[in-house]
């Protein structure tokens, strides 16, 4: 198990470090003649990263034809709605980058959740290499909510950390909104997981998780932290202020 924590003064610097990781990984996979299978999360933190990737410095230096975009989770809404994770990624990056359409595997939030969860799970099994009976991503980008959720695995749905099928239906505990999410075994099967976490509101949670405090067992993000082959935290100073 390899664990690394990188702390930056500003959120922009955190995004830059993850953008560099994505570029390095894409170039490395291109040299190996292989795809770079990347799963991205939604939320406000990745938006800054995607906007940076759309800037010339990255847009023109990443071999986008190598990168295959998958989603960690998706709200069960059409891609045109503001809450759509795909919609956010399209607005911030995909409409500008040169990612071939055949490399974009969005979760179809507009479909019936019970049908889409099966379609997306089967697609992951078909498109990705397998290890330990689960699909393998090269890199999964995760965030963490103020309640310790990650992907769309919420503290009141911890069983999703153990579901064998690569995707499952989750329900937001406050809004009741249905979501499609990667499940724990597939997340924990990735070659690398990078948490991109900014902001003071995450500081105490991060301390509990990284210090393996008893309360951390209630947080899905802690389960991923504890069960990963190679995990990296990319944090701004505010998020790391309690470490
Ligand atoms: C989602 C995300 C979710 C996100 C966290 C953190 O669909 O909302 O996948 O897991 O990573 O909620 O969100 P912020 O980056 O906005 O803090």
């Amino acid at each position: 198990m390899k664990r690394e924590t990188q702390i930056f003064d500003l959120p922009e610097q955190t995004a830059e470090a993850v953008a560099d990781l994505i570029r390095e990984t894409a170039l490395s996979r291109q040299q190996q003649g292989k795809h770079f299978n990347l799963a991205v999360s939604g939320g406000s933190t990745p938006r800054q990263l995607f906007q940076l990737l759309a800037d010339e410095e990255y847009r023109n230096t990443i071999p986008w034809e190598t990168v295959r975009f998958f989603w960690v989770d998706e709200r069960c809404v059409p891609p045109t709605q503001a809450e759509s994770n795909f919609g956010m990624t399209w607005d911030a990056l995909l409409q500008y980058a040169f990612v071939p359409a055949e490399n974009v595997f969005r979760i179809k939030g507009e479909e019936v959740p019970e049908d889409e969860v099966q379609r997306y799970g089967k697609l992951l099994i078909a498109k990705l290499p397998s290890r330990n009976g689960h699909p393998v991503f090269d890199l999964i980008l995760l965030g963490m909510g103020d309640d310790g959720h990650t992907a769309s695995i919420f503290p009141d749905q911890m069983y999703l950390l153990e579901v064998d099928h690569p995707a499952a239906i989750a329900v937001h505990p406050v809004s009741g909104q249905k979501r499609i999410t990667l499940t724990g075994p597939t997340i924990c099967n990735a070659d690398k997981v990078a948490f991109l976490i900014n902001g003071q509101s995450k500081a105490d949670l991060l301390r509990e998780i990284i210090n393996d405090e008893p309360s951390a067992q209630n947080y899905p993000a802690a389960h991923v932290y504890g069960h990963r082959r190679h995990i990296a935290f990319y944090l701004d100073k505010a998020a790391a202020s309690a470490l």
Side-chain angles (χ1 to χ4, degrees), residues 4 18 21-22 38-39 41 72 138-143 150 187 190-197 224 228 230-234:
E4 55 181 299
V18 177
L21 169 66
I22 289 172
L38 168 66
S41 288
V72 168
D138 296 304
L139 176 64
I140 295 182
L141 292 185
L142 294 178
T150 192
I187 293 173
D191 282 343
K192 182 168 185 176
V193 169
F195 275 97
L196 173 52
I197 303 173
V224 173
R228 271 301 317 124
H230 184 176
I231 193 153
F233 276 114
Y234 293 83

Side-chain angles (χ1 to χ4, degrees), residues 41-46 73 75 85 143-145 149-152 179 202:
S41 288
S44 58
T45 308
D73 59 346
R75 292 79 180 276
N85 287 341
M144 182 180 73
H149 81 262
T150 192
S152 280
R179 304 215 179 156
K202 316 286 174 75

Side-chain angles (χ1 to χ4, degrees), residues 71-224:
W71 273 260
V72 168
D73 59 346
E74 183 56 277
R75 292 79 180 276
C76 290
V77 296
T80 50
Q81 274 201 10
E83 290 184 282
S84 167
N85 287 341
F86 167 79
M88 182 273 283
T89 313
W90 172 264
D91 289 346
L93 172 60
L94 294 180
Q95 66 173 318
Y96 305 112
F98 313 107
V99 181
E102 63 269 20
N103 284 17
V104 178
F105 302 93
R106 73 178 180 92
I107 301 170
K108 298 179 179 177
E110 70 276 24
E111 299 294 342
V112 172
E114 289 72 15
D115 297 337
E116 179 55 15
V117 72
Q118 293 304 320
R119 184 199 69 84
Y120 189 62
K122 286 174 184 163
L123 178 138
L124 296 177
I125 292 166
K127 292 289 181 184
L128 297 173
S130 176
R131 180 169 58 212
N132 311 321
H134 300 291
V136 184
F137 284 99
D138 296 304
L139 176 64
I140 295 182
L141 292 185
L142 294 178
M144 182 180 73
D146 293 347
D147 60 356
H149 81 262
T150 192
S152 280
I153 302 178
F154 295 94
D156 66 342
Q157 294 157 69
M158 296 290 272
Y159 70 91
L160 293 176
L161 292 165
E162 309 299 336
V163 168
D164 248 1
H165 189 66
I169 296 172
V171 178
H172 191 283
V174 176
S175 67
Q177 181 187 63
K178 282 191 177 179
R179 304 215 179 156
I180 307 288
T181 184
L182 292 185
T183 49
T186 293
I187 293 173
C188 292
N189 205 38
D191 282 343
K192 182 168 185 176
V193 169
F195 275 97
L196 173 52
I197 303 173
N198 293 325
Q200 186 67 39
S201 66
K202 316 286 174 75
D204 288 337
L205 276 178
L206 273 170
R207 188 205 70 245
E208 293 172 66
I209 290 171
I210 292 183
N211 294 349
D212 198 18
E213 295 177 19
S215 54
Q217 65 184 342
N218 303 316
Y219 309 136
H223 176 91
V224 173

